[in-house]
Amino acid sequence: MVKIAYIAIGSELLNGKITNTNATKAGRMLEQAGFQLAEIITIPDTWDAILESLVYAHARHEVVLISGGLGPTKDDITKNVLAHWSQSPLVEHGPTLEFLVRRYETLDRPLTDLTRAQAMVPAAGTVIPNAQGTAPCMAFEQEGKWVFSMPGVPFEMLHILAHEIIPRLQQSYQQLTPLRHLIRVEDLAESVAAQRMEALEEKLPEAFSVSYLPRKDGLWIELSTLAKPEELPEAQKAAADWGAQIDGLFPSEIYARDDRPLEVLLATAFREKGLTLAIAESLTGGHLAATVVSISGASTFFAGSVTAYAIPVKISVLKVPAALIEEKGVVSAEVAQAMAQGVRKLLKADIGLATTGWAEADEEVPAQAWIGYADEQETDAKHVRLYHKRAVNIDRTAHHAMRFVLKKVRGRLA
């Protein structure tokens, strides 16, 4: 298997100003294409750091991917380092200059010296056009190995990787077939899941690996391998067999088997059942409804929502009995169910869903939520303990609520 390194250039990646999503997305994209990153290196945009990491990575890997430092500003020095490394001068690349002139004429903006400098590239490199931006990508072949320098702007980098670099890798190197078995489980700690999996993992063939990915919508457990063409039939059978054994360890906790967003799973279930949803929110303050409508076509099943944050609104709009709030407390199973029933009737939906709780703990009251559910035949509630900061607790509660109603729609309503 070809060894690939990824060098992410940018001081902003190290000081926390920007999250390095490029590397993670590139890793996933390469894996889907049958390749695998062997190493990720994040460095500041300084001459010494770029040169040292390039020399290091080129000595140890067949392919080096570099992102960042190709723009028009003075701190964009990657191509200067590449010129030094490849022992070639910077020369003006005619097609790139022509593209820049046309681009800036179209934008009715002047072509400054700094912008024009983007057409200067190391003579030893092969220019790969950047269809999404102005800084060209460059490819260098040295000692039978490849170095690709890409812009750091995410949509530019990902487009070049997908449409220019991966096809070149597929022509030059044998790609493997990625095999993946994914389950998403709810209400289960990573340590508990790992304990259940311990005996099985000890028996797994060396080619297979298991990943535990705690996320806001639950725990993702992924079995994966990369198979050579001649190994594919046997590997597919093995992946199916081991996947079935993993499933058997989590008989009641699995709620999804693919990586579609939770709101998409929810929309799919409601559409398949021909049901409508109404939401009443206290703790989540509209965040749950906003998540539901973040996907296209939500109007086909989502009737609407009420943000009933204050107690008088719960009483006057959702018709939650004041005596019930007085007796059980506003953060209770009974009030959550009453809110769900109230919004269901108010908006004439098949199902009502509600959230109430405390988004942050104090010395006397722990952070917690009650999620209420109501349909024509049933009311129910789920209690959730919250352990994070306010914004995270609100987001986690919204995802708990979506999983709760998803399970109800799938399992109890024909």
Side-chain angles (χ1 to χ4, degrees):
M1 181 170 61
V2 58
K3 294 181 65 179
I4 304 174
Y6 185 101
I7 301 174
I9 299 172
S11 300
E12 67 276 7
L13 301 174
L14 295 168
N15 60 25
K17 292 181 180 178
I18 295 178
T19 302
N20 189 8
T21 59
N22 279 358
T24 55
K25 290 179 180 178
R28 176 60 75 181
M29 191 179 293
L30 286 164
E31 184 182 54
Q32 291 171 347
F35 301 102
Q36 195 169 53
L37 278 181
E39 188 171 7
I40 297 172
I41 305 167
T42 305
I43 58 172
D45 41 11
T46 65
W47 180 285
D48 289 345
I50 297 171
L51 183 59
E52 288 173 7
S53 62
L54 175 58
V55 170
Y56 165 87
H58 186 258
R60 290 162 177 79
H61 305 277
E62 288 94 334
V63 176
V64 180
L65 305 176
I66 305 173
S67 70
L70 295 181
T73 58
K74 291 184 178 180
D75 63 343
D76 291 314
I77 60 173
T78 299
K79 66 183 177 184
N80 301 80
V81 177
L82 286 167
H84 173 80
W85 172 78
S86 62
Q87 299 181 355
S88 62
L90 288 175
V91 296
E92 191 170 78
H93 184 248
T96 297
L97 179 59
E98 292 174 8
F99 167 77
L100 290 171
V101 171
R102 291 195 306 270
R103 176 73 175 270
Y104 278 80
E105 284 179 350
T106 301
L107 296 173
D108 193 24
R109 292 166 56 186
L111 184 66
T112 66
D113 290 342
L114 283 175
T115 304
R116 183 188 178 102
Q118 291 179 104
M120 300 296 292
V121 299
T126 299
V127 173
I128 299 175
N130 178 0
Q132 301 294 311
T134 56
C137 174
M138 293 166 286
F140 299 82
E141 186 178 14
Q142 295 270 0
E143 303 172 7
K145 301 179 179 182
W146 284 96
V147 173
F148 295 94
S149 179
M150 306 173 291
V153 180
F155 68 88
E156 295 182 28
M157 186 280 293
L158 294 172
H159 182 88
I160 288 172
L161 183 61
H163 297 280
E164 300 289 350
I165 295 176
I166 286 178
R168 286 170 167 80
L169 297 181
Q170 291 172 330
Q171 291 176 0
S172 301
Y173 303 98
Q174 180 188 59
Q175 65 245 46
L176 308 179
T177 299
L179 299 177
R180 178 190 189 210
H181 181 87
L182 172 67
I183 60 172
R184 292 157 64 178
V185 300
E186 59 179 351
D187 300 331
L188 199 66
E190 181 181 3
S191 58
V192 175
Q195 189 173 23
R196 289 192 200 178
M197 290 277 293
E198 186 175 4
L200 185 148
E201 285 194 74
E202 290 179 353
K203 296 183 291 184
L204 271 179
E206 186 177 348
F208 286 85
S209 63
V210 174
S211 300
Y212 299 89
L213 308 170
R215 300 169 62 110
K216 60 186 178 182
D217 57 359
L219 176 66
W220 293 29
I221 303 173
E222 181 179 276
L223 173 73
S224 60
T225 188
L226 291 169
K228 296 179 181 178
E230 64 271 18
E231 301 170 345
L232 188 56
E234 183 179 350
Q236 287 174 324
K237 182 180 183 305
D241 291 343
W242 287 109
Q245 292 184 54
I246 292 174
D247 290 356
L249 298 175
F250 306 93
S252 61
E253 292 96 350
I254 297 174
Y255 76 89
R257 299 178 183 275
D258 59 53
D259 56 9
R260 289 178 296 167
L262 183 51
E263 52 269 29
V264 174
L265 300 177
L266 188 68
T268 300
F270 268 87
R271 288 167 182 158
E272 287 177 350
K273 300 291 186 178
L275 297 169
T276 55
L277 172 68
I279 294 174
E281 298 184 69
S282 183
L283 181 151
T284 46
H287 182 67
L288 173 56
T291 304
V292 170
V293 302
S294 65
I295 61 169
S296 177
S299 60
T300 59
F301 72 94
F302 184 53
S305 65
V306 173
T307 301
Y309 209 74
I311 289 177
V313 179
K314 294 177 175 67
I315 296 171
S316 62
V317 178
L318 298 179
K319 307 304 179 187
V320 178
L324 181 65
I325 294 176
E326 180 68 24
E327 178 187 358
K328 299 296 183 179
V330 71
V331 180
S332 63
E334 292 80 4
V335 168
Q337 292 174 51
M339 290 173 63
Q341 192 68 274
V343 78
R344 185 187 78 82
K345 292 179 179 178
L346 176 67
L347 300 181
K348 298 180 174 57
D350 297 305
I351 292 174
L353 182 65
T355 65
T356 182
W358 289 288
E360 52 193 341
D362 59 30
E363 293 180 358
E364 297 180 359
V365 181
Q368 59 181 299
W370 278 99
I371 299 167
Y373 170 90
D375 60 43
E376 192 172 358
Q377 290 85 31
E378 176 196 12
T379 59
D380 197 2
K382 176 182 179 178
H383 185 247
V384 178
R385 296 190 182 278
L386 304 169
Y387 302 98
H388 304 280
K389 293 183 178 180
R390 182 180 182 84
V392 176
N393 287 339
I394 289 172
D395 193 37
R396 292 287 176 92
T397 301
H399 282 82
H400 274 287
M402 287 190 287
R403 293 201 307 270
F404 185 48
V405 73
L406 177 63
K407 193 170 185 178
K408 292 287 189 181
V409 171
R410 285 174 170 171
R412 300 195 184 187
L413 296 176

